[in-house]
Amino acid sequence: MQCYTDVLPPTAVTHSLSLPFLSASANNLVVAKTSLLQIFSLKSVISDGVDGSSERIHTTKLVLIAQYDLSGTITSIARVKILKSKSGGEALLVALKDAKLSLVEWDPEKYSLSTISIHYYEREDLQGSPWAPELGFCPHHLTVDPSNRCAAFRFGYRNVAILPFHQAGDDLVMDDYDPHADEKQPNAATIPAESPSTTAAPVQTPYASSFVLSLLALDPNLTHPVDLAFLYEYREPTFGILSSQAASSASLLHERRDRLAYAVFTLDLEQRASTTLLSVNNLPYDLQKVLPLPLPIGGALLIGTNELIHVDQAGKTNGVAVNEFAKVASSFPLSDQSNLAIKLEGSVVERLGQGRDLLLVLGSGELAILSFKIDGRSVSGLTVQLVPQHGGGKTLSTTRSCITTIGRGRIFCGSEDGESVVLGWTRKTEKANKPKDTDVNGDDLELEEDEVEDDEDDLYSAPKPTVSLPISGTPSSAPDVDEGYAFRIHDVLINLGPLRDLLFYDPGTNANDFSSVSAHSRQSTEIIAATGRGKNSALYNIRQEIHPTLLSHHEFPGAYGIWHVAVTIPDDEADIKIRNLVFISSIDQDRQEVSSVHQVVNTSIEEVIDSDFDPSAGATIDAIAINGGLRVAQILMNEIRTYDSNLGLCQIFPLAEDESEQAAVVRGASYADQFILLYKNDSSIMVVKIDESGDLEEVERDDASLGIKCVSGCLYEDSNDIFRLESDDESDDEVGNVLMFLLTADGGLKIYQLPKLSRPVYEAPGLSFLPPYLSTDFFIRRTVGRAKLNEILVAELGDSVSKSPYLILRGEFDELTIYHPYQSIVESRATRVLSFLKIPHFHRAPFAGEHFMNGLPQKHQQTLRAIPDLGGYSAVVLPAAASSVAILKPASSLPKIFRLNTSGIKCISSLDAPGCRRGIICIGDEGAAFTVQLPSKCDYSTGWTAQMVYSGDEIQAMAVHATSDRFVVGTSHSKDFKLPDDELHPEWSVENASQFPVIDHGTIKLLYPGTWSMLDEYSLESSEMVTCIKTMNLETSEVTSNRRDLVVVGTAVVRGEDLSALGRIYVFDIINVVPDPDVPYSDRKLKLIAKEEVKGAVTALSDIGSEGFLLVAQGQKCMVRGLKEDGTLLPVAFIDMQCYVSVAKELKGTGLCLIGDAIKGVWFTGYTVGHDQSLNLAWSLQSHAVQEEPYQLRLFGKTSQPIEVMTADFLPDNKQLYIIAVDLNSDLHVLQFDPEHPKSLSGQRLLHLSTFHTGSFPVTMNLVPRQPTPYELYTSQDRGMTRNGMSNGQNSEPYKDPPTYATHQVLLTSDSGAMSLLTSLSPSTYRMLLALQSYLTTALPHPLGLNPRAYRAVDADLSAGGRGVIDGNLLRRWGELGSWKKNEALGRIGVESEEMLGGLLQGLDGWGLG
C-alpha cells in the first residue's frame, strides 16, 4: 500500500505554440512539459544600454498566466481558429498519448481553460493487423489545415483521424452543408472511428463528426509513413505525406537506396475521399520531416539528416547537401554545400519574419540561415550559411525539441536537454534609406517588402507583379551573414531534466547559514543533482526550503516585534539622505511592554538615545514612514505618535474619544498613500488621513460606517487600476485609488474606495467558504462549512519583470489561501466584473500539536508582512513558531510558498540598509535578531530552490566521499571516433571521411563542495566513458582486515558496432597532500589503487554484505569482488544474468540484492558470508533461511513476467519487503518477496501487487530515510515514543512496537526533470486516502476532460491481489476545494478535522526532503 507523488514538476519543454489565446488581440505562448501545460504572455522590459550607452535595450520576458497538471502525456499541440470562442481568440487542440484529442478554449469568466470536446481513437478495431505495434509505441502527430478547415491526427501505424471544423466559408466547399449535421447519430459503418461526447444539443459545436482513414486506403504505397503535414495555398484541405514502400535503413543502403516518396493529397470533407495531386519519388532515405511553407516560398521543405529538399506546388524539387555523406547515401540531384560539414539530426526549423529566410537550429545548438532564391513565383535554389559567433551563432548549446515564432523578432526555443530560451533576432540593412519599423518590443527591424505584400495571395488567382529584391543567402546578391542577422537571449526557462543522478549531502554547520544560529533549525540536508546533457549539463543544489544567508546577529532581550523604517533627511540638515530606523517592541524585566528605537549603522544596530522618543509609551503595533518619508508614525495601542527625521515629536493623535473606549485597543494597522487603517480588538475600524504637512486627522464616518465590524483589514493603492472599482456616486471627486479590504466578522469581503466609507464598492459575502472562484454572486445558504479566517492582506507579488496584486488569507491554524483578482466578462451582463481565482499551492499548515512540543509563547500573534524588495522579489512573509514561510512569485511561475529553514521566529520585517540590502530582519527566541538575505542566483519557479553550483562537461555519475568531504564526478566530452587498428580488418586503417562520428570520452574529477572548484582529475583512455560511481567501505587488506572509504568507478570502452564492449573497474583513494598556500582546501588528490579490466561494460556497482566486498554488474554477469593488497579485484561469487544488467542494489547491511535486466525482469538474490551463516532478512524470514556454502550469490525469486527494468530499488515497510521497479513504458511495478504466500511458490516468484503509470521516463531510483512529520511525531508520543522514536523512559530504550509511520521512501527522478516520491502507508491511512482519492476524482474539474484514474491504470496480469497505488498528485489538489466541500469530504472519509488530514498529506509531499 503505497502513494506516488510528484514533488518536483517536470521542467523539460517538449512542445510549444504561439497563438492569440486569451483574446483576439493577445499574443500567448503555450508550452507543454510532458504532462504540464503552461500558458504565458509576453512582456517587454526596457533597460539601459551597456557601458553607459544611451541606447535602450528592449527585452522580451515570459510571464506565466496559468498552468495545468494533466492526467495524460502531451504528444502534440496545434492552434485552431473556430467560429466562436468565449475569449474571441483561437482554440487549442492537444493530442495525448493513447490516441486522445482534446479541444479547449480560454474562458475569461472563469479565467481558466474550458474543454470544448474530447475525442478518443484508442479502440482495438483500429489497430489493424495483430502483428502491428501497440498504440503506445507508435508516434502520434497532429497537424492542422492552415485555413482551419480540419485537423489530421496520425495515430497507430497507418491511421489518420480527420476532425473537420466549421468555418464561415463552409458553403464554398459544401454547398448543401447542414449546420446540424454533426448532431445526428453517425453511421457506424461509415465512421468507425471515434467516441467523442457528441450529444444532440441544440447548440452547434465548432467541429463536425470526425472520421478515420487508413493511409493504405489513400494509396497502397503508403505502407511505411514517415511524416505528414497540411500545406498552404490550396482551396481544399491538402496535405503532403512522406513515406516508403519498404522500411529504410542505413545498413540496407545498398539495396534500399532512395526509396522514399513524397505525395500530396487533397481531401473532400463531404465525401470523405481524397485525390492525389502529385508525387515525387526516389527521395533520399534519411528524410524525416515535412515542413509546409507559406508564400512567398510555398510548397514544402523536406528535412533529412544530410540534406534539405524543397518541393513546390508543381512538384519541382530543389535541394542542397550540407555534408559529404549526402552524395554517398543518395543519388538525388542536390546542390553541393558539403563544405559546411553540418549534421541535421535533431535540428528544428522556423521562419524568420515574413521573408524568404528560415532559421535552422542544429542539434549542437549552432544557428544557420536557410535562404531561398526565387525567380518569379518559383524557387530556383537553396543556400545555407552558418551564423558567426559574434552574431550569436553559438548562443545555444544543446538540442532543441521545439521552436516557435512568438512575435516579430522573437523566437522561443524549447529543449529537453537544457534551458529553454526566448531568442531575439534583428537584421541589419546596408541601405540607409530602407524603410524601418519598430516592433511591439521596441527593436528596429527591417521592413521587408514581402512583409507589406498581401498575405492572402490565392493559389488560383492571377499572379501579382513581382519586384526583384536581393535575397539573403544567394551567392549573387546576398549580403554576408556577418552583415545580416544577430541573435541574443532575452529570457530563460530553467530545466532540471534529465535528472541523471542525485546525492544527499550534509554540508555541516556553515557560519553564513541562518540555521547555524537558530536553536530550532531543522536538519539541513542538501540534494545535489546532476542535470542536463552536453554543454548544458550542471550540478544543482536543490532544496525544499529556503536557507537564508546570515549577515549579522544581534541581541535584544525580551524583544518580540520589529519594524524597519527608512526616513529621508533634508539635504540642508545633513549629508546623509536616508536614515534607517528600527523600532522594537519588547517585554522588560518588570514584565511591562515597552518600545525602543535603533539606527542601522553599517552592520550594527545602535539604540537612539538623544530624541523625543518615549520608550514607556507602550508596545509598538506598527511603524511606518509617512509624508514622503519625512516623518515616522509610531502606532501604539491607544495613540499614534509622529516624529520627524531626527525623532523630534511632531504630533500625538489619540485613538480613544472617551473613557468608555479605553478597552478598545489597536490590534493591527495598514498603510497606503495618505491613509492609515486601524482595526481594534472590538472589531471596529478607524481610518486616519495624512495631510500635506504630515498631520493626522480622522476620516469622516457616517452612521453606516460606524457599524462596520471586521476581523482584519488592509489598504492597497491600486495605481495600475487592476481592480477597476469605481464609486457609484459620480459627484464625489475626492475618491482616489486607495482601496480598503475588510474581512468582516461573518466571513465576507468588503472593499471601500477611500475616503468614501458610506458604502462599499464591492461585496463578496461568501469569502469564508473559500470557493475556487469568488465573485459577488457566490453565496451558499448554510452556516456550516465556513472556514475561520483570521487575517486578510492584499499585496503585490512578483519580481522586476512582472508584479500583480494578490489577496492572501490566513486561517485559524496559519493555513494560507491565495486569490488572484481578474476582470471576468459575463456574457449575460456584457460587462466586466471583478472576480477572484484561487491559486493552487501545496503548502501545508503546521500541525497545532507542534506548537506545544516547541513550547514557544503564543501571546503575541504575528501577522502577514508584505516585503517590497526581498532579493528582487515583492514577497509576503508569515513568521511562525513552527515554521516561518515566504511567498515568492517569479515571472515564469505561479506564487510559491516556501518554508524558511528555522523555527521560533516571532517577527519579520523588511530591511534595506547598508550591510543588508534587499533583505529582512527577524526576531527569534529570547530576543535574538538576525539580518538575512535570500541566497544568490537561486531559481524559485519550480516550488523548490534550485541553485547551479557547477557546470562544465556532461556529468554522467557522481559520488560523495564523506571522510574527506569531497565530490567525485564522472564527466564526458565528445571526441571524434576513429576505427581502431585491427589485424583482421586492415581496411579500417584508411578512412577517407573528413567528418567522423563522435563518442564520449570520460574524465574523473575531484571537486571541493565549498567553492565547487576542481582539485584533481583523472583522464580515461580513448572511447572510455564513466557509467557509475559509488563510495564504498571496502576491505583493503586480507591480513589486517582494515577497511577504508574508497571510490569505485565503473566504465565502458565502446569500440564500434563490430567489436564487443569492454569494461574497467577503478578504485580510488582520496589522499592528503600539501595544499597550495593560496588555496587551503586543495589538500586532497585522487590516488589510483586498483584497476581491473573485464569483459563487457560495467553497468552497475554496489557494496554488498558486511565483509567489505563490492558487487559489479559486468557484461551479462553480476560478480562479487574483493580488493587485494596487490591492487587486484579478486572474484568471490557470481551469478549469470544472460542479458544486459540495468540496475544492481543491496539492501544496506543485509546481503540481500536486487538485480534488474533489460528483458527478463527483477532478480532477488542473496549473498552468503560464512559456512554456518545464513541470510538474515531481519523481517521475520528466519524460518525460510537456508544453509549455503560460503561466498555464493543465490537466487531467491524473480518476476513471473518479463519487465524491461530501467531502474529499481527496495522499499522495506516494517515486516514487509517490497521491490519497486520502473519499466520502459514509465510503468511502476510494486513487487513483494513473501515466501509464505501460496502464489509465490515458496518465494521463487516475486508477487506482482500493483502497477502504476508515472508518465515520466525513469532515470534513477533511491531508497532514502524518511523524516516523520510533526503530526506523526505528535501521535507517536501518545504511544509512548519520543521525537527520535525512543521510549519516554530515562534510558531512552528503543521502542518494541514498530512506528505507525513509514521510515523509508523511494525517491525517483525522470528524464523530464520531475522528481517523485513513493511512500508506504499503513492500512488505516491507505483506506482513508483511497476514499479521498475517489471523492476528489468526481468533485474536482479535470483539465482537458481527462480521467486521472484511466491515466494511472495499466493493464497487467497481477499475480497477487494487491492494492493499487494511490495518486498523490490528485490528493495534493485538496486545497482547490471550497471549505463546504472539504467538510463533506472529511465526513465521507472519516477524518475528524482538516488539520489531521493536512498532517497526513504533509508526509506525502516530501517533508524533510532536502
Side-chain angles (χ1 to χ4, degrees), residues 389-401:
Q389 185 172 357
H390 61 79
K394 296 185 181 299
T395 301
L396 308 179
S397 58
T398 189
T399 305
R400 301 287 116 181
S401 60

Side-chain angles (χ1 to χ4, degrees), residues 118-121 123 163 191-196 198 209-212:
I118 183 168
H119 310 264
Y120 295 88
Y121 303 96
R123 290 170 53 184
L163 179 62
I191 310 175
E194 167 203 22
S195 55
T198 55
S209 298
S210 66
F211 56 95
V212 173

Side-chain angles (χ1 to χ4, degrees), residues 284-297:
Y285 83 101
D286 58 350
L287 294 177
Q288 299 173 348
K289 185 175 178 58
V290 178
L291 180 67
L293 299 175
L295 289 180
I297 304 173

Side-chain angles (χ1 to χ4, degrees), residues 873-1104:
Y873 293 92
S874 294
V876 171
V877 297
L878 174 63
S883 179
S884 301
V885 299
I887 308 176
L888 304 178
K889 187 196 176 302
S892 59
S893 76
L894 297 176
K896 305 294 184 182
I897 302 179
F898 295 88
R899 296 195 306 266
L900 301 180
N901 186 37
T902 186
S903 58
I905 298 299
K906 300 178 180 179
C907 187
I908 300 177
S909 175
S910 62
L911 181 61
D912 189 5
C916 183
R917 290 297 181 186
R918 303 192 303 178
I920 55 177
I921 183 169
C922 310
I923 292 292
D925 291 342
E926 300 179 357
F930 315 96
T931 60
V932 297
Q933 290 177 333
L934 290 183
S936 60
K937 299 180 180 179
C938 273
D939 183 90
Y940 303 96
S941 59
T942 61
W944 289 47
T945 65
Q947 183 180 28
M948 182 189 295
V949 295
Y950 175 81
S951 62
D953 295 333
E954 182 172 347
I955 300 172
Q956 303 289 348
M958 61 179 178
V960 59
H961 191 262
T963 306
S964 61
D965 193 23
R966 299 294 187 271
F967 275 76
V968 180
V969 179
T971 64
S972 65
H973 58 277
S974 299
K975 291 182 63 176
D976 290 341
F977 174 75
K978 298 182 179 180
L979 293 174
D981 296 333
D982 192 277
E983 296 179 355
L984 300 178
H985 300 83
E987 69 276 7
W988 288 1
S989 60
V990 180
E991 295 186 75
N992 297 323
S994 60
Q995 281 184 281
F996 296 93
V998 295
I999 195 169
D1000 290 335
H1001 177 72
T1003 305
I1004 303 170
K1005 298 182 179 181
L1006 182 66
L1007 304 180
Y1008 172 63
T1011 59
W1012 294 103
S1013 55
M1014 186 179 67
L1015 304 181
D1016 193 14
E1017 66 176 339
Y1018 182 89
S1019 181
L1020 303 178
E1021 297 183 8
S1022 179
S1023 304
E1024 185 179 9
M1025 56 181 141
V1026 177
T1027 57
C1028 47
I1029 301 178
K1030 297 292 182 183
T1031 302
M1032 306 180 189
N1033 187 258
L1034 299 181
E1035 183 182 85
T1036 58
S1037 174
E1038 296 177 304
V1039 179
T1040 61
S1041 299
N1042 291 334
R1043 301 178 65 170
R1044 194 160 69 246
D1045 287 341
L1046 301 175
V1047 178
V1048 185
V1049 180
T1051 66
V1053 182
V1054 181
R1055 303 178 294 170
E1057 299 177 354
D1058 299 324
L1059 296 176
S1060 60
L1062 298 178
R1064 293 190 179 98
I1065 307 170
Y1066 296 86
V1067 180
F1068 291 94
D1069 191 10
I1070 300 180
I1071 62 173
N1072 286 310
V1073 296
V1074 179
D1076 186 339
D1078 297 331
V1079 187
Y1081 52 81
S1082 62
D1083 57 344
R1084 300 282 182 169
K1085 294 289 183 183
L1086 291 172
K1087 179 184 178 181
L1088 180 64
I1089 62 175
K1091 178 181 177 181
E1092 190 83 14
E1093 183 170 318
V1094 297
K1095 294 182 180 180
V1098 178
T1099 57
L1101 293 170
S1102 176
D1103 42 9
I1104 186 170

Side-chain angles (χ1 to χ4, degrees), residues 254 401 485 635 777 805 1402:
H254 59 287
S401 60
Y485 293 94
I635 302 174
D777 300 332
Q1402 191 178 44

Side-chain angles (χ1 to χ4, degrees), residues 144-208:
V144 176
D145 174 48
S147 298
N148 301 284
R149 291 166 291 196
C150 65
F153 177 47
R154 177 192 167 194
F155 66 98
Y157 195 63
R158 300 185 186 94
N159 295 321
V160 176
I162 305 298
L163 179 62
F165 296 103
H166 299 323
Q167 296 296 331
D170 280 349
D171 55 342
L172 299 177
V173 182
M174 296 177 288
D175 296 332
D176 299 328
Y177 170 69
D178 183 4
H180 301 287
D182 58 316
E183 300 172 10
K184 302 175 182 179
Q185 184 67 25
N187 188 353
T190 59
I191 310 175
E194 167 203 22
S195 55
S197 55
T198 55
T199 59
V203 181
Q204 176 182 338
T205 60
Y207 59 90

Side-chain angles (χ1 to χ4, degrees), residues 1221-1368:
V1222 185
D1223 63 13
L1224 186 63
N1225 297 328
S1226 304
D1227 296 334
L1228 184 144
H1229 303 267
V1230 179
L1231 311 170
Q1232 184 183 12
F1233 177 72
D1234 186 4
E1236 297 180 355
H1237 198 283
K1239 291 187 178 181
S1240 68
L1241 301 181
S1242 300
Q1244 297 181 24
R1245 289 185 180 180
L1246 297 177
L1247 300 178
H1248 198 166
L1249 300 182
S1250 61
T1251 307
F1252 183 87
H1253 184 67
T1254 64
S1256 298
F1257 188 80
V1259 179
T1260 66
M1261 186 181 294
N1262 298 274
L1263 178 66
V1264 296
R1266 180 175 176 272
Q1267 182 178 350
T1269 64
Y1271 172 77
E1272 292 169 340
L1273 290 175
Y1274 184 74
T1275 55
S1276 297
Q1277 285 184 346
D1278 295 338
R1279 303 174 67 247
M1281 290 184 288
T1282 63
R1283 297 173 64 98
N1284 296 324
M1286 311 292 282
S1287 66
N1288 286 326
Q1290 297 180 355
N1291 297 328
S1292 296
E1293 297 178 357
Y1295 55 81
K1296 297 181 181 181
D1297 296 330
T1300 56
Y1301 52 83
T1303 57
H1304 293 83
Q1305 55 192 354
V1306 173
L1307 180 65
L1308 302 92
T1309 64
S1310 68
D1311 201 54
S1312 63
M1315 193 163 61
S1316 310
L1317 275 177
L1318 187 70
T1319 307
S1320 296
L1321 303 174
S1322 64
S1324 59
T1325 303
Y1326 179 85
R1327 289 190 296 267
M1328 190 184 305
L1329 297 183
L1330 183 62
L1332 178 61
Q1333 176 182 260
S1334 300
Y1335 179 85
L1336 294 178
T1337 302
T1338 57
L1340 288 174
H1342 302 291
L1344 277 64
L1346 301 175
N1347 186 353
R1349 183 173 298 177
Y1351 172 58
R1352 299 300 190 182
V1354 179
D1355 292 334
D1357 185 12
L1358 304 180
S1359 61
R1363 298 185 177 182
V1365 178
I1366 290 180
D1367 188 359

Side-chain angles (χ1 to χ4, degrees), residues 196 213 243 258 263 470 690 778 904 942 988 1142 1159 1167 1226 1291:
L213 295 175
S243 65
D258 296 339
I690 307 168
F778 177 83
T942 61
W988 288 1
S1142 57
I1159 298 178
Y1167 169 68
S1226 304
N1291 297 328

